[in-house]
Amino acid sequence: MPNNTKKRLMFFNGKFLPEDEIKIPPTAHALHYGTACFEGIRAYYSEKDKNLFVFRLEDHYKRFFYSCKTLFIKLPYSSKKIAELTVELLQKNYSETDIYIRPLAFKSDPAVGNFNLPTLESSLLIYTVPLGRYLNTEKGIKANISSWMRVPDNAIPPRGKIAGAYVNTALAKTESLQNGFDECIMLDRFGHIAEGSAENFFMIKNGVVITPPMYDDILVGITRGTVILVCEKELGLKVVERSIARAEVYSADEVFVVGTGAEVTPVVEIDKHEVGDGKIGPITAKIKELYFKMVHNEVPGYSKFLTKVSSK
Ligand code: PMP
């Protein structure tokens, strides 16, 4: 928790306010129709440097602005300004722990039946919350191929983080959990592997790293981009972005999923098939180790991805 004595502040429509002073109307369009978009950003506390590091803050806000554009939301800030406001919020709520940052832009107008997006007022909320591991990165997870199809680009574009599209996620994840799995892997409309509920998919076959391309109805993840960089530049691995057929994953040597929340999580079983020998693969282990070092400012040359936040 942030300093227990202090009330956690949130940024809402231009002001830093305690949560109980933020009023969102029950008639808000987004609540009824999912007309909102958001980001998920992590800040890591470094014991060595004694400060927080936000990972790829500007890249997250670039994607946030793209999602906003899709919904005809015009924010009254530049991406630089919104990043500065986020740092200010982290300073106000400073705590020596890993933090998840959630910016949310939403249509706040009370407009029953109005689906003309540019005519609707928008609001902006940014809040922070302590967050440890989201999935079991240590032991790895068991996944299933979902019976729910990933929402296609020309229905609700999955390359933006559009709130309404996360009903698709919730249905798939619920099905997985109810059937005893930890995570789902959704297929796209052509039966290709798309992604997990909140993660991009990677598999390794004969030493080559393979991941679905951006046109297979995926969110173009920031962790995905980081992992591709780590594989190519730091580990000298070949990375191929191509469509993956369902049954290919059953004979993969290694599988892992990546995301801001999920970080790098090994997948040890899919649809009851062991991945490789059912243990965390050696390449996955290396990628995971490098990723965790990178976000804690322990890999030379990558401090450009980190925004330092010191306590005031
Ligand atoms: N796919 C989906 C559907 C997600 O919600 C997320 C989490 N943002 C990801 C992939 C991973 O994206 P990122 O690495 O940018 O967090």
Side-chain angles (χ1 to χ4, degrees), residues 40 60 63 150 161 166 195-200 219 221-224 258-260:
H60 278 283
R63 187 171 66 191
R150 185 71 183 123
K161 284 181 75 72
Y166 279 77
E195 59 185 341
S197 68
E199 309 91 30
N200 289 115
L219 180 77
I222 287 160
T223 321
R224 175 184 180 274
V258 309
T260 298

Side-chain angles (χ1 to χ4, degrees), residues 244-280:
I244 300 172
R246 173 180 186 156
E248 262 190 277
V249 305
Y250 301 147
S251 64
D253 300 328
E254 301 181 31
V255 171
F256 57 95
V257 290
V258 309
T260 298
E263 301 160 310
V264 176
T265 300
V267 179
V268 292
E269 201 182 284
I270 300 179
D271 282 350
K272 307 279 182 193
H273 298 276
E274 278 188 345
V275 176
D277 60 3
K279 302 201 175 66
I280 296 173

Side-chain angles (χ1 to χ4, degrees), residues 18 75 84 122 145 220 303 307:
L75 296 177
E84 284 169 9
S122 305
I145 303 289
V220 186
S303 53
T307 304

Side-chain angles (χ1 to χ4, degrees), residues 60-79:
H60 278 283
Y61 276 124
K62 265 190 208 155
R63 187 171 66 191
F64 188 54
F65 275 73
Y66 164 76
S67 301
C68 285
K69 194 169 183 202
T70 307
L71 290 177
F72 292 89
I73 292 176
K74 282 206 174 86
L75 296 177
Y77 307 105
S78 63
S79 54

